[in-house]
């Protein structure tokens, strides 16, 4: 262990202790403080903050997340930053209610009980918890799944909710050569045990907001959005809260890349004001009636732009491949949507991908 220093955050009047051997973000997790974060790999910029005072060093990160000129001005990525003195840091993106309401990190063992292909390259992996028997998390969060036989991990969002009786589901896109997903084709099978750490992520329903919700997803980005929808359905069924209007746009290349259409329709039937629009970018016709949905054609962001007239009034949840999230962010910025109304998970992978 290295020396320990105090890191104070502004403008929220919050202070934590940070060991030199850990990142500031990891130290916050350890002490139950939920700083804004995304990939935790220095690639998404969700944890970007400004160093007001102190001596820090950053591990390697992507200049797409933090440009060189930003680093020179004093901006840092908390997921890659080590403190070597007492520091004062200004948080750029934060939710003061979330900051002090973090779910504690947990280490879990679970057994794979089902693996089902949803499309040619997306699989549902269902786990049964072994120890402990329950997992505390907020719908929309993710966990680190350890790669068997190594100390490496990959991060995947839960598609389930905490009420689902010790069962977890992860919707995973398979990449040839992927450090975890590639093993789903070769050595990871039903009956195998996995270790998990979590929860992480701030892709969660903001209870204090009354704005309509617009979800934009693609690929395995279905997973955390499905968790949110299942959670809202549970709230509506229990009469515990007023559920806001929800519009869900899901982008795919062809109709063969769509899945869980029946369950999404069933969830929609339980919510008072819900619409679901699958969007196909590489087909110009589809038998929507036989699929039981009212879809559209074009890139998902194009469809959202055509159909949503008052985006400034909504709260957005974005999850999917980086090009999709980048396009959605550009769309919302151009429409004047305040950044604090936009919540996103941008997938990263250990192998190259086209989109």
């Amino acid at each position: 262990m290295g020396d320990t220093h105090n890191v104070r955050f502004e403008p929220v009047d919050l202070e934590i202790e940070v060991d030199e051997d850990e990142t500031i973000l990891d130290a916050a997790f350890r002490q139950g403080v939920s700083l804004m974060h995304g990939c935790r790999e220095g690639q998404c910029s969700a944890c970007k903050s400004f160093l007001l005072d102190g001596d820090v060093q950053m591990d390697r990160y992507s200049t797409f997340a933090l440009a060189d000129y930003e680093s020179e001005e004093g901006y840092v990525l908390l997921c890659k930053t080590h403190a070597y003195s007492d520091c004062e840091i200004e948080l750029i993106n934060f939710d003061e209610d979330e900051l002090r309401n973090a779910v504690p990190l947990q280490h879990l063992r679970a057994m794979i009980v089902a693996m089902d292909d949803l499309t040619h390259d997306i699989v549902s992996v269902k786990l049964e918890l072994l120890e402990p028997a329950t997992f505390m998390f907020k719908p929309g969060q993710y966990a680190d799944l350890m790669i068997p036989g190594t100390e490496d991990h990959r991060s995947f969002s839960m598609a389930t909710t905490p009420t689902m009786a010790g069962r977890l589901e992860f919707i995973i896109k398979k990449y040839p050569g992927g450090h975890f997903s590639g093993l789903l084709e070769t050595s990871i099978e039903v009956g195998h045990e996995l270790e998990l750490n979590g929860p992480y992520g701030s892709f969660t329903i903001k209870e204090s907001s009354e704005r309509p919700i617009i979800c934009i997803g693609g690929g395995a980005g279905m997973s955390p959005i499905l968790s949110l929808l299942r959670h809202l359905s549970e709230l509506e069924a229990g009469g515990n809260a007023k559920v806001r209007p929800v519009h869900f746009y899901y982008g795919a290349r062809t109709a063969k890349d769509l899945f869980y259409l029946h369950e999404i329709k069933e969830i929609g039937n339980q919510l008072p004001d819900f619409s679901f629009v699958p969007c196909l970018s590489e087909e110009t016709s589809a038998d929507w009636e036989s699929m039981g949905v009212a879809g559209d054609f074009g890139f998902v962001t194009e469809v959202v732009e055509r159909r949503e007239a008052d985006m400034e009034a909504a709260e957005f949840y974005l999850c999917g491949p980086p090009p999709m999230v980048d396009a959605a962010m550009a769309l919302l910025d151009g429409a004047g949507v305040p950044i604090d109304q936009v919540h996103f998970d941008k997938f990263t992978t250990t192998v190259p991908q086209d989109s």
Side-chain angles (χ1 to χ4, degrees):
M1 298 290 286
D3 292 337
T4 299
H5 307 287
N6 294 324
V7 174
R8 183 176 183 82
F9 299 108
E10 297 293 346
V12 295
D13 191 25
L14 187 66
E15 188 172 294
I16 63 172
E17 290 187 350
V18 181
D19 189 277
E20 291 179 353
D21 292 338
E22 65 184 343
T23 66
I24 292 175
L25 185 62
D26 282 341
F29 288 142
R30 177 171 55 80
Q31 293 165 77
V33 175
S34 181
L35 298 177
M36 193 68 70
H37 62 284
C39 69
R40 298 172 25 251
E41 297 175 356
Q43 298 188 52
C44 76
S45 79
C47 64
K48 183 166 65 177
S49 302
F50 188 77
L51 179 65
L52 297 170
D53 187 47
D55 179 19
V56 303
Q57 292 184 20
M58 280 192 286
D59 295 330
R60 186 177 178 181
Y61 59 88
S62 169
T63 54
F64 289 102
L66 186 70
D68 289 338
Y69 76 88
E70 292 178 306
S71 176
E72 292 169 0
E73 290 175 357
Y75 290 93
V76 296
L77 299 176
L78 298 183
C79 69
K80 292 294 182 179
T81 301
H82 296 261
Y84 290 94
S85 72
D86 290 348
C87 298
E88 187 174 358
I89 292 176
E90 180 181 1
L91 299 178
I92 299 173
N93 301 315
F94 65 93
D95 183 319
E96 196 152 5
D97 292 335
E98 293 280 341
L99 272 174
R100 307 170 195 274
N101 191 31
V103 177
L105 288 180
Q106 300 143 74
H107 178 78
L108 308 103
R109 286 192 311 111
M111 178 183 293
I112 299 176
V113 294
M115 291 174 54
D116 301 308
D117 288 329
L118 302 177
T119 70
H120 73 284
D121 63 355
I122 293 181
V123 61
S124 165
V125 178
K126 295 185 174 69
L127 305 177
E128 182 177 310
L129 294 175
L130 299 175
E131 183 182 2
T134 58
F135 181 25
M136 295 171 54
F137 66 93
K138 296 180 181 180
Q141 290 190 299
Y142 66 89
D144 288 345
L145 275 62
M146 304 305 297
I147 299 175
T150 77
E151 295 185 358
D152 296 331
H153 69 268
R154 294 299 289 156
S155 301
F156 300 104
S157 299
M158 281 75 74
T160 37
T161 71
T163 65
M164 294 186 173
R167 292 288 184 101
L168 299 175
E169 179 185 11
F170 297 91
I171 296 173
I172 299 174
K173 184 176 177 68
K174 296 184 288 187
Y175 296 99
H179 286 186
F180 184 93
S181 64
L183 299 178
L184 298 175
E185 299 277 16
T186 56
S187 57
I188 296 180
E189 300 176 349
V190 171
H192 283 186
E193 290 188 15
L194 295 175
E195 295 188 28
L196 301 79
N197 294 302
Y200 299 101
S202 51
F203 191 83
T204 57
I205 296 293
K206 312 310 171 189
E207 304 294 347
S208 60
S209 174
E210 296 183 352
R211 299 184 185 92
I213 294 171
I214 298 177
C215 299
I216 305 176
M222 174 72 79
S223 199
I225 294 176
L226 188 57
S227 178
L228 297 183
L229 296 180
R230 286 168 165 168
H231 170 63
L232 292 174
S233 176
E234 291 171 352
L235 290 179
E236 178 66 21
N240 296 321
K242 179 181 178 181
V243 177
R244 294 174 269 161
V246 181
H247 298 177
F248 178 20
Y249 296 87
Y250 181 79
R253 291 176 175 172
T254 71
K256 292 182 179 179
D257 298 309
L258 299 174
F259 57 94
Y260 278 170
L261 299 182
H262 178 72
E263 178 174 355
I264 294 171
K265 183 178 180 179
E266 288 299 309
I267 290 174
N269 290 338
Q270 298 171 41
L271 298 177
D273 188 352
F274 177 81
S275 67
F276 173 54
V277 183
C279 314
L280 303 183
S281 62
E282 294 185 2
E283 283 190 17
T284 57
S285 63
D287 188 357
W288 296 121
E289 185 175 354
S290 69
M291 289 185 274
V293 295
D296 206 335
F297 301 99
F299 290 106
V300 63
T301 48
E302 297 172 343
V303 176
V304 172
E305 187 173 19
R306 288 198 301 265
R307 288 174 170 251
E308 294 293 340
D310 191 14
M311 288 188 275
E312 289 181 72
E315 192 159 319
F316 284 82
Y317 291 82
L318 321 174
C319 191
M324 187 218 80
V325 175
D326 290 341
M329 293 292 287
L331 168 67
L332 301 182
D333 181 60
V337 179
I339 190 62
D340 62 352
Q341 292 171 213
V342 182
H343 317 287
F344 66 93
D345 272 350
K346 184 192 296 187
F347 290 156
T348 58
T349 178
T350 55
V351 295
Q353 58 176 311
D354 51 4
S355 66

